[in-house]
Amino acid sequence: MAENSVVPYTDDEQGPAAVHRPNNQAQSQATAKPQDTPSVEAYDIENQSFSISESSAIPSSEETGIKGAISKRFKTVKRALHGKDDAHDYRHRLEQRTRPLDSYQPGYATLAAIEDSDPSFLIYRKFGWLRNRLLLDLQDELVTLERELELIDASTTRRGDPDNVLASRRNDERKKTKRRGLLKEIRQKLLEYDEVLLRLKQIHAIKRPTVRNQNSLYNLIWNNRCLVNEETDWIYRGEDLAALASYSEHGWFNGFVEDTMNMISRSATTFFFRDAELKKKTGSIQVNLLSPRRLEIFVRTVFTILTAVLFLVPVLAMLELQPSHADQARHAEYMQLAIVFVFTILFSASCSTFTKAKRQEVFTATGAYCAVLVVFLGNTQNAITNDAISVS
């Protein structure tokens, strides 16, 4: 029998206590265990053998029960509260290294760092006139090549086309006519034309920046003396500027909220909407960077309150206008209909102004909102009618 081999059980051996150890180990190392001490059989991968572990390796009923699970959970929460990671938790929070803006060299390096600090500063020129000028030039070159190709074909037709080169590309290639070289030139020119044409389409699809963002970038360039005056003319070309940032759903409203809060208290705005990373990043540079996540949370809170107001205020108003007598019913109906009309307009205007919803989406949402108010109004009128009947 080979060394370090595992001997299987036989019929006359009794359980794990009769397991043979490897032949190279002394039999005297095996120690007897009390009969009442439970044991467990484990496989030693390194020695390719089974080993017997003591009862301490077996979890007790308390640890495997509900009490043990609750105790383990409390220990995990306690370690989390004290900032201690679990031994089995592989996650680790990396230290964020933020480079301040004032650590860059003055000039274009600082301007590039400023533009990279906030997406609203990603503003560049489209050079639309140059692109159209180049496209027109390529277009005319292709027109000239097209006419030249037509003249060559017409000349071949007048000669009778004895080699049948107009109907056979292979014959034309074999003859190495002028037409082949012209077609290769047209192919290259078309590829260049298509590239400029498609690029122009993509560039024109980019929206121009808002006046607020354009002014903000200009103020940053001027206040921090990033560029000389001769090289800042491009910032004035608003119609030829491209904003690379993809504005959020409430982008303009975020700017409105930021400007309004800065007018009220700039220090409070900085305290609530600027995190530690942004404070470290700004350094001594005069730039007002706010956390987009915190600002978005505040804006969503405002919209949640506005939505609740648009739904609850008309309901409460119509409840207050319920007539107490039958002679007041007609006047109350007109007032309630006016409330439905006004709040429906406000809801539709809010959807169109504060969201990027399409026209059909605004129409559908407005119809559903109006239907809810009309159903509520109908139910209140039915209740009033039933009360009047019961009184009579």
Side-chain angles (χ1 to χ4, degrees), residues 128-159:
W129 179 84
L130 282 179
R131 296 178 185 276
N132 283 280
R133 182 67 178 83
L134 179 60
L135 190 63
L136 290 172
D137 190 74
L138 291 173
Q139 176 181 267
D140 189 69
E141 289 183 12
L142 284 171
V143 170
T144 304
L145 293 175
E146 182 184 22
R147 291 176 181 175
E148 186 175 353
L149 180 61
E150 291 178 353
L151 291 176
I152 293 176
D153 291 342
S155 176
T156 305
T157 303
R158 285 195 300 268
R159 293 197 306 267

Side-chain angles (χ1 to χ4, degrees), residues 75-87:
K75 291 179 180 179
T76 304
V77 175
K78 184 178 179 180
R79 284 193 296 266
L81 292 176
H82 289 280
K84 298 179 180 180
D85 295 334
D86 193 352

Side-chain angles (χ1 to χ4, degrees), residues 96-100 277-278 280-282:
Q96 302 297 325
R97 298 180 179 178
T98 304
R99 183 176 178 181
E277 182 178 353
L278 289 178
K280 183 178 179 181
K281 189 177 185 63
T282 53

Side-chain angles (χ1 to χ4, degrees), residues 201-254:
K201 178 183 178 181
Q202 295 176 355
I203 293 298
H204 273 285
I206 302 177
K207 297 181 179 180
R208 61 179 296 178
T210 61
V211 178
R212 177 179 180 272
N213 292 338
Q214 184 180 356
N215 292 333
S216 298
L217 182 59
Y218 170 78
N219 293 331
L220 288 174
I221 295 175
W222 177 260
N223 294 333
N224 296 285
R225 300 295 189 269
C226 296
L227 303 178
V228 295
N229 294 333
E230 292 79 6
E231 299 185 19
T232 59
D233 294 336
W234 59 273
I235 195 63
Y236 298 97
R237 305 289 297 273
E239 78 285 350
D240 194 48
L241 294 178
L244 302 185
S246 56
Y247 296 102
S248 61
E249 185 179 3
H250 316 297
W252 74 268
F253 190 73
N254 290 18

Side-chain angles (χ1 to χ4, degrees), residues 189-328:
K189 192 64 64 175
L190 274 176
L191 291 176
E192 185 178 357
Y193 178 82
D194 292 343
E195 182 180 1
V196 176
L197 182 67
L198 295 178
R199 289 290 180 86
L200 181 62
K201 178 183 178 181
Q202 295 176 355
I203 293 298
H204 273 285
I206 302 177
K207 297 181 179 180
R208 61 179 296 178
T210 61
V211 178
R212 177 179 180 272
N213 292 338
Q214 184 180 356
N215 292 333
S216 298
L217 182 59
Y218 170 78
N219 293 331
L220 288 174
I221 295 175
W222 177 260
N223 294 333
N224 296 285
R225 300 295 189 269
C226 296
L227 303 178
V228 295
N229 294 333
E230 292 79 6
E231 299 185 19
T232 59
D233 294 336
W234 59 273
I235 195 63
Y236 298 97
R237 305 289 297 273
E239 78 285 350
D240 194 48
L241 294 178
L244 302 185
S246 56
Y247 296 102
S248 61
E249 185 179 3
H250 316 297
W252 74 268
F253 190 73
N254 290 18
F256 173 76
V257 171
E258 181 180 346
D259 293 339
T260 303
M261 296 192 66
N262 284 331
M263 292 175 59
I264 298 175
S265 176
R266 182 177 294 270
S267 59
T269 304
T270 304
F271 177 79
F272 287 107
F273 295 100
R274 182 181 295 181
D275 52 20
E277 182 178 353
L278 289 178
K279 292 178 181 179
K280 183 178 179 181
K281 189 177 185 63
T282 53
S284 61
I285 298 296
Q286 300 179 11
V287 55
N288 187 24
L289 295 179
L290 302 181
S291 174
R293 184 182 63 85
R294 295 186 180 184
L295 190 60
E296 187 67 21
I297 292 175
F298 179 78
V299 171
R300 290 182 181 274
T301 304
V302 172
F303 274 101
T304 302
I305 297 174
L306 178 61
T307 304
V309 168
L310 289 176
F311 274 94
L312 296 180
V313 170
V315 172
L316 296 176
M318 286 187 290
L319 287 177
E320 289 294 330
L321 290 175
Q322 285 186 358
S324 56
H325 302 284
D327 54 352
Q328 299 177 352

